[in-house]
Amino acid sequence: MADHAGELGGRADRVAVAGDSAGGNLAAVVARRARDQGGPRLAFQLLVYPVTDAAMETRSYHDHADGYYLTADLMRWYWDHYLGGDQAGADPDASPLRAGDLAGLPPALVVTAEYDPLRDEGEAYAARLAEAGVPAVASRYGGMVHGFFRWRGAIDAATPAMAEAAGALRAALAP
């Protein structure tokens, strides 16, 4: 395997994880596992409308269950297929919000959308991070639905959301 550290400007020690939706779930789990298993040391986590709890019991799940692109029924289908129908949803590797200790995780930006069933669990995760002493910002985009972040050119709010995410990553990865 080639060593490309020199191509990164000597900053190979500055690593972030990022993901949206299910990818946000995976990024949060990777951040916690990296902390628990001794590395790599992560500089930042960017979580865009992350899935953080299999319970699906938040107010936003009830208020935005239907008609807002991502539905509660579709999330139930995803969870059933991801977990294989068992009770693994309580495991913090499936539901990062249920992890016992979030202290020592990398700083985070958690982007949420107003009309997203995942809104409240994403914001709850940001709050739990902050309560654990982790610098965490929850940034809700009003009037938006799940998926808006990827719709630059079609949705005006996608551009400032992308700029916020890029700015946070740039700041976290600066030498």
Side-chain angles (χ1 to χ4, degrees):
M1 180 180 282
D3 180 2
H4 297 284
E7 296 172 24
L8 297 174
R11 293 181 8 209
D13 62 326
R14 305 300 287 172
V15 176
V17 291
D20 76 323
S21 195
N25 171 288
L26 296 174
V29 170
V30 165
R32 195 189 81 258
R33 283 183 153 225
R35 179 206 61 191
D36 293 349
Q37 296 174 4
R41 184 181 163 275
L42 299 175
F44 194 72
Q45 49 184 328
L46 171 61
L47 310 175
V48 180
Y49 30 75
V51 179
T52 64
D53 192 0
M56 299 177 46
E57 296 174 351
T58 64
R59 176 79 184 199
S60 62
Y61 257 103
H62 296 289
D63 291 350
H64 310 302
D66 296 303
Y68 294 99
Y69 184 65
L70 178 66
T71 67
D73 285 343
L74 190 54
M75 280 303 299
R76 198 168 292 105
W77 185 88
Y78 289 141
W79 277 118
D80 288 345
H81 285 79
Y82 182 61
L83 299 176
D86 63 19
Q87 300 301 315
D91 187 311
D93 282 349
S95 296
L97 186 59
R98 298 183 190 203
D101 179 19
L102 300 179
L105 290 176
L109 170 62
V110 181
V111 175
T112 61
E114 180 179 10
Y115 298 115
D116 185 353
L118 304 178
R119 181 196 68 213
D120 291 348
E121 67 189 69
E123 292 173 2
Y125 191 69
R128 288 251 355 261
L129 288 168
E131 289 167 9
V134 174
V137 173
S139 185
R140 180 189 297 182
Y141 282 80
M144 294 297 102
V145 298
H146 190 88
F148 86 95
F149 190 81
R150 299 183 299 260
W151 300 336
R152 281 190 39 208
I155 302 290
D156 290 341
T159 298
M162 186 69 70
E164 179 183 24
L169 282 168
R170 188 177 305 110
L173 298 177

